Amino acid sequence: MTTLDDELSQYRRWRPLRPGRHPAAFQRLLHHEFAPPAELRKWADSEAQRVARWACDQTSFYPNVLRERGLSAADIRGVDDLPKLPILTKWDVQANSDDMTAKQLPADDRLWGVVESSGTTAQPTRVAMSANSNLMFTHLLHRAYRWHRYDPMAVMASIRRGQYLRDATGQPLENGKTYERSTWQYLGKFFHTGKEIGFCRTNPTDAQIDWLRERRPDYLLCMPGIAEEMAFACVDQPPVDSLQAVRAIGGQVTPQMRKRIETTFGVPVHQNYGLNEVGHVAVRCEAGRYHVHVEHCVVEIVDDDGQPCEVGQRGRIVVTALRNPAMPLIRYDTDDTAEVTDGLCPCGRTLPTFGEIAGRLRRYATLPAGTRDRVRAAIDPLQEMPAEHTRHLRRYQVHQSRDNRFELRLLATGPLPNALHKWMHNAWRDRLGSDEPALTITQVDHIAPSPSGKYLDFTSDCHDETAADDPLRASPR
């Protein structure tokens, strides 16, 4: 169990750039991590009330929402009153962007810019972001690195999209080139850190592995699919023996993915939970729960009617942003689902928690009954099979056709063994029964990413025509 003294000891490892000065925001994070739950709830109630009043005073959108329900800002006195308001969807934000933008900002804040959703829909959701809200990204990233016991003076490596890794001229990094900076991004503005290096994720997997072995970083930051592809490629040994941890960003880490990556790399996989429209929402602790950043947001797990789920139930994650006066988001639907947890976390920290994230709820909302079970019947056995069957495998995708038949598309660097096909067909039949149409397994030379650049493990042609921008609609092959 972790204690406040443990965290204080870790915090002292981070040397501020201005000696003797530790920003109050970082110290507040420390205090909240072990504060009594009643104190944290009082804080959340006060913040929810403040945001509701600000939204009604400074936007034209929220007064109308409250008026339609016979409410005023005074009726939102805390977290328990939030379910009086409707769920806010991405489409609501897209349609009412101007009305949701604040008329002015507090005297101690300013407009930082406009952020976009990660693009799982063809039309991204744009949210005006204040400078103080944007700054919280750095503060909460520090909390995550501290919880995961990162050494601030170590070498951080990133394998990301080229536009996040600019060369000396400001252009997106080209394949084969290395991005270098003397300090870690974000946290290097506040603390002494080691250097950060970067490599474009469009480099072939083998080139990524060679790069890691040449550069020998201490930490690796990448999308979970990138780490999994390297795990597939390195069935006999870790990609590199210098790593202390992998930080997965920009995608869901399933239990099977986590097991494969951690087993092959020999290091833990760490993950935060967040979204571009809000920022960091929660951080996963060593006990496997996600702890909510109460300084930045309120999280609810709700049912289809927008009401709180019971302990043990799985529901939609909705988030109320607390630090963005430029464009308040109250009860914003993340499209993700998670399980409600109960009691204090075994890790010892008292921040509110929720369970493992189960993926996108709307991925299956308009699909034929049984789709989820069939997708899992194709993906789980693939992730569970012996490593020697997947030696050449680099990426996979399950596709559902309009006649509700399923195809498993496999991208590989060489021929896949018959044992893989046999394993998959047997697992499909065992899980779904002999009456189920057979799973088609196809080796392909390309799997297209979504508009955001993320590689989806499932696409479908069965979505409602009204959901033409759904991320699971198959891309042209």
Side-chain angles (χ1 to χ4, degrees):
M1 179 179 289
T2 304
T3 67
L4 177 58
D5 286 342
D6 294 332
E7 290 305 325
L8 284 170
S9 176
Q10 290 297 319
Y11 183 68
R12 295 187 186 105
R13 298 177 66 191
W14 294 77
R15 295 184 296 118
L17 292 179
R18 302 177 66 180
R21 294 198 62 180
H22 289 267
F26 292 107
Q27 297 178 358
R28 183 173 66 238
L29 298 188
L30 269 170
H31 171 73
H32 279 165
E33 289 164 20
F34 298 92
E39 178 183 332
L40 294 176
R41 180 51 186 263
K42 184 177 180 180
W43 165 278
D45 285 341
S46 174
E47 291 295 282
Q49 182 183 65
R50 178 186 59 78
V51 168
R53 289 179 175 175
W54 174 267
C56 286
D57 288 343
Q58 297 297 327
T59 77
S60 57
F61 176 78
Y62 285 101
N64 291 334
V65 170
L66 287 166
R67 193 177 304 113
E68 289 174 359
R69 299 203 164 200
L71 301 170
S72 69
D75 293 305
I76 309 301
R77 297 179 295 274
V79 173
D80 286 343
D81 291 323
L82 289 176
K84 296 177 181 178
L85 298 176
I87 300 294
L88 183 68
T89 70
K90 298 178 188 297
W91 294 275
D92 291 330
V93 179
Q94 292 169 7
N96 299 280
S97 178
D98 290 342
D99 291 338
M100 293 182 66
T101 302
K103 302 169 187 174
Q104 61 182 15
L105 291 178
D108 63 347
D109 208 346
R110 60 179 175 81
L111 182 65
W112 176 80
V114 176
V115 297
E116 293 186 352
S117 61
S118 57
T120 52
T121 60
Q123 181 182 359
T125 305
R126 295 178 174 84
V127 175
M129 185 74 68
S130 79
N132 287 342
S133 181
N134 181 66
L135 184 59
M136 285 297 294
F137 181 93
T138 300
H139 295 163
L140 299 176
L141 180 62
H142 179 260
R143 169 183 274 165
Y145 282 158
R146 175 165 47 78
W147 282 25
H148 298 148
R149 305 308 189 230
Y150 281 27
D151 177 0
M153 300 309 298
V155 177
M156 176 73 69
S158 300
I159 298 181
R160 306 185 67 183
R161 296 170 69 182
Q163 53 263 52
Y164 294 116
L165 304 170
R166 301 278 175 169
D167 62 22
T169 66
Q171 297 300 309
L173 193 69
E174 297 178 358
N175 280 357
K177 302 293 185 180
T178 295
Y179 162 92
E180 296 195 44
R181 56 179 291 154
S182 59
T183 61
W184 291 5
Q185 190 176 18
Y186 305 116
L187 289 172
K189 298 177 181 179
F190 291 92
F191 301 98
H192 292 279
T193 72
K195 69 177 182 179
E196 182 170 334
I197 57 176
F199 203 56
C200 190
R201 76 179 192 191
T202 53
N203 286 286
T205 300
D206 290 342
Q208 296 171 10
I209 294 170
D210 290 342
W211 180 77
L212 288 176
R213 290 174 176 170
E214 176 188 353
R215 295 287 178 156
R216 299 185 59 76
D218 300 289
Y219 303 110
L220 172 62
L221 182 152
C222 65
M223 295 183 69
I226 296 293
E228 187 182 37
E229 289 170 23
M230 284 192 273
F232 279 133
C234 298
V235 294
D236 300 318
Q237 60 182 338
V240 61
D241 61 9
S242 64
L243 288 182
Q244 300 177 37
V246 173
R247 179 169 171 247
I249 61 170
Q252 181 190 0
V253 179
T254 67
Q256 294 87 356
M257 291 174 69
R258 183 181 300 280
K259 181 179 179 181
R260 183 181 294 277
I261 296 169
E262 291 185 343
T263 298
T264 303
F265 280 71
V267 300
V269 174
H270 297 139
Q271 190 174 38
N272 300 333
Y273 173 68
L275 49 154
N276 291 353
E277 305 95 301
V278 175
H280 287 310
V281 172
V283 56
R284 190 176 188 271
C285 74
E286 60 270 24
R289 290 194 187 186
Y290 285 86
H291 289 255
V292 177
H293 297 302
V294 296
E295 304 83 5
H296 193 58
C297 60
V298 171
V299 167
E300 303 169 73
I301 310 295
V302 303
D303 60 22
D304 290 340
D305 296 323
Q307 297 303 305
C309 289
E310 299 292 333
V311 172
Q313 285 185 318
R314 192 175 299 282
R316 298 152 64 187
I317 303 174
V318 299
V319 177
T320 296
L322 302 176
R323 286 287 168 267
N324 187 22
M327 193 170 178
L329 298 181
I330 300 177
R331 306 200 80 206
Y332 182 64
D333 192 346
T334 67
D335 283 335
D336 291 322
T337 64
E339 184 177 299
V340 177
T341 52
D342 186 27
L344 294 179
C345 183
C347 79
R349 302 176 182 94
T350 57
L351 293 173
T353 67
F354 54 86
E356 201 69 43
I357 299 165
R360 299 284 175 176
L361 179 70
R362 72 188 191 86
R363 297 178 66 160
Y364 304 98
T366 62
L367 297 177
T371 294
R372 185 190 298 271
D373 292 337
R374 292 175 176 85
V375 173
R376 296 263 48 100
I379 291 179
D380 289 350
L382 184 67
Q383 295 179 335
E384 295 165 358
M385 73 171 53
E388 59 265 23
H389 296 353
T390 61
R391 184 177 301 274
H392 298 299
L393 185 63
R394 292 297 180 268
R395 188 171 293 136
Y396 57 85
Q397 185 181 82
V398 179
H399 178 69
Q400 180 185 39
S401 61
R402 287 194 178 278
D403 61 1
N404 203 26
R405 290 181 177 270
F406 284 78
E407 176 189 13
L408 176 62
R409 299 168 178 171
L410 302 177
L411 178 66
T413 59
L416 294 170
N418 290 332
L420 180 149
H421 292 256
K422 183 177 180 180
W423 176 286
M424 292 302 306
H425 287 306
N426 289 341
W428 178 266
R429 185 182 62 250
D430 291 344
R431 290 172 184 238
L432 300 176
S434 57
D435 294 336
E436 184 73 20
L439 174 70
T440 299
I441 301 177
T442 307
Q443 190 166 337
V444 299
D445 57 12
H446 179 65
I447 294 179
S450 70
S452 70
K454 294 182 180 180
Y455 286 96
L456 301 173
D457 60 12
F458 171 49
T459 62
S460 177
D461 288 333
C462 292
H463 284 276
D464 235 340
E465 291 302 325
T466 58
D469 64 345
D470 194 280
L472 296 184
R473 185 170 295 279
S475 302
R477 296 182 63 184

